[in-house]
Amino acid sequence: MTTFQDRLTALRRDFHRHPELGFQEERTRAKIAEHLRNLGLEVHEGAGVIGLLRAGGGNRAIGLRADMDALPITEISTHGYVSETPGKMHACGHDGHMAMLLGAAERLVQEQGFDGTVVLIFQPNEEHGLGAQAMIAEGVLEQFPIEEVYAIHNLPGAPVGQISTRSGQICNSESLFEIAIQGQGGHASMPQAGVDAITVGAEMVLALQTIVARKLAPGSGAVVSVTEFLTDGQRNVLPGHAVLKGDVRARVPEDREAVERFMRQIAAGVAAAHAVEAEVSFNTEFVETINADGPAEAVYRAGEAAGREVVRNRPPMSFSEDFAHFSAAVPGCFLLLGNGEEGPCGQPLHSADYDFNDALLPIGAEFWVQLVRDRLPVGKD
């Protein structure tokens, strides 16, 4: 007879073998929907999957979210359940997030112990910051109104099962920028005859680094990174066109807006100095993730009641999370769950040899069960 751990491990490893990218999670979505229906739950499918778990006659409802998508990474692991899809991999632990939430649903169906409705939210395309918005645009929060919303993310490098979170800002925003420079190409032996776009771009790359170093307050946590420098130059051809692409992280909207303003000033100033044109685009897909006070405190209490080590008021994470769109609409809490410090489970997220820790599956499921019973207690409206 299989144990709870065995069932969750098999489920997680099946997800791991069959990774699907954002908005392509067809097999994943079907498997989740089938699993929920087999548990006897009401299931709604759209951009993602919603499972409704009810007990008692209470009219309160909370939401629990798990993300479904994988990453365009070629796995280099050597375990027995590596990705069977070339160039795609669950390198962020979303396979484990889904399995933990499905495990919690199984426990709650069997044992009950709560009064109200649990809205199980399986969300697509977290990695590009578009999945939560897609579900919200479909009307998921109107169709399935909830008072609070929660999400777990595993954290490599932290002890297995350790819970950490904070009230207020927990994850940075992410904005993507692009600066297109139009100069005048020419022969590499006669640079004075044109305006070399690569030289202009290089000057902009260095100038952009002064935004965080000199224009924002020390300790702001903002990051400006140029990640691509593309030109139409060749071996003996000076480029007339260059594009800089990059990534901006910020802890508060004010800093994010200031970075955009300074970036546009720098691009315009450098372009003017060289008599070329520069066009800037700046798009924010992940806003800052903000935890509400009440839900954060609820996570602390549930973690301690479940017997876990709980770290309160942890430092904010530098990465971004599109759970932010849910927690901007409904009071919520995003929490980190330690994935382990050794081996593949301790490798950084998005590493080609990272792996979710199967020992964490029943721990995460148990935490969800405890949180549901705390937030939807029997005998209270």
Side-chain angles (χ1 to χ4, degrees):
M1 181 177 179
T2 60
T3 66
F4 184 58
Q5 170 81 64
D6 292 339
R7 293 195 298 276
L8 294 190
T9 298
L11 185 62
R12 200 281 294 187
R13 293 184 178 185
D14 181 80
F15 286 136
H16 191 90
R17 288 190 186 96
H18 301 96
E20 296 175 304
L21 302 182
F23 290 145
Q24 299 174 20
E25 306 97 332
E26 295 181 7
R27 181 188 185 277
T28 305
R29 191 167 59 238
K31 188 171 183 67
I32 289 170
E34 178 185 25
H35 194 93
L36 294 173
R37 289 191 176 100
N38 288 341
L39 291 174
L41 302 189
E42 179 182 333
V43 177
H44 298 261
E45 296 184 65
V49 180
I50 296 291
L52 298 181
L53 177 54
R54 299 185 176 96
N59 57 10
R60 297 190 59 233
I62 64 171
L64 309 180
R65 188 220 71 169
D67 32 20
M68 302 190 296
D69 55 324
L71 286 153
I73 294 174
T74 298
E75 185 167 13
I76 62 172
S77 306
T78 57
H79 51 61
Y81 47 90
V82 297
S83 169
E84 297 178 8
T85 306
K88 298 178 185 179
M89 176 191 174
H90 271 296
C92 201
H94 297 185
D95 48 350
H97 301 167
M98 292 182 282
M100 287 191 298
L101 190 52
L102 290 171
E106 178 183 331
R107 285 276 312 277
L108 289 166
V109 165
Q110 293 172 346
E111 302 171 12
Q112 302 285 299
F114 68 99
D115 185 13
T117 300
V118 182
V119 180
L120 305 168
I121 304 169
F122 292 89
Q123 180 212 301
N125 205 348
E126 187 281 324
E127 295 292 352
H128 291 111
L130 301 173
Q133 296 180 79
M135 296 189 78
I136 291 169
E138 283 183 339
V140 66
L141 296 178
E142 289 78 24
Q143 189 176 0
F144 312 107
I146 51 179
E147 298 175 16
E148 301 167 353
V149 65
Y150 298 86
I152 287 175
H153 204 293
N154 76 96
L155 184 61
V160 175
Q162 180 193 77
I163 291 171
S164 62
T165 191
R166 71 194 313 271
S167 181
Q169 187 262 345
I170 180 70
C171 295
N172 284 3
S173 62
E174 181 189 26
S175 304
L176 303 179
F177 68 86
E178 184 172 313
I179 303 174
I181 303 162
Q182 188 59 56
Q184 175 60 59
H187 199 288
S189 68
M190 296 179 286
Q192 76 282 358
V195 181
D196 173 15
I198 204 167
T199 301
V200 178
E203 189 172 329
M204 284 189 189
V205 170
L206 294 177
L208 290 174
Q209 302 313 305
T210 67
I211 294 176
V212 172
R214 291 293 180 267
K215 300 182 187 302
L216 296 181
S220 68
V223 181
V224 177
S225 297
V226 177
T227 58
E228 297 181 71
F229 196 146
L230 311 173
T231 79
D232 59 354
Q234 299 293 330
R235 171 182 168 180
N236 60 352
V237 179
L238 292 174
H241 182 73
V243 176
L244 306 180
K245 296 183 180 182
D247 180 281
V248 173
R249 307 287 171 138
R251 292 180 180 174
V252 295
E254 294 79 9
D255 286 347
R256 167 164 42 93
E257 293 161 2
V259 169
E260 179 180 4
R261 184 172 66 254
F262 291 133
M263 183 174 292
R264 292 184 182 279
Q265 289 175 358
I266 287 170
V270 173
H274 293 277
V276 300
E277 295 182 0
E279 183 177 341
V280 179
S281 67
F282 189 98
N283 298 305
T284 300
E285 293 176 339
F286 294 87
V287 295
E288 297 79 10
T289 306
I290 308 298
N291 285 343
D293 293 345
E297 186 61 35
V299 166
Y300 297 149
R301 292 197 303 269
E304 289 165 353
R308 311 316 311 172
E309 176 190 0
V310 175
V311 177
R312 296 172 177 245
N313 198 33
R314 68 153 298 118
M317 303 302 297
S318 59
F319 62 65
S320 305
E321 241 294 340
D322 86 339
F323 178 73
H325 296 287
F326 283 121
S327 61
V330 179
C333 183
F334 178 82
L335 63 126
L336 289 308
L337 191 59
N339 196 54
E341 301 165 277
E342 303 292 336
C345 304
Q347 292 295 86
L349 297 171
H350 296 200
S351 297
D353 56 349
Y354 158 87
D355 194 23
F356 186 89
N357 193 338
D358 287 326
L360 200 57
L361 295 169
I363 294 172
E366 174 60 30
F367 169 79
W368 279 139
V369 169
Q370 184 67 52
L371 181 70
V372 167
R373 290 173 175 166
D374 284 358
R375 302 314 290 161
L376 301 174
V378 175
K380 293 186 180 181
D381 294 330

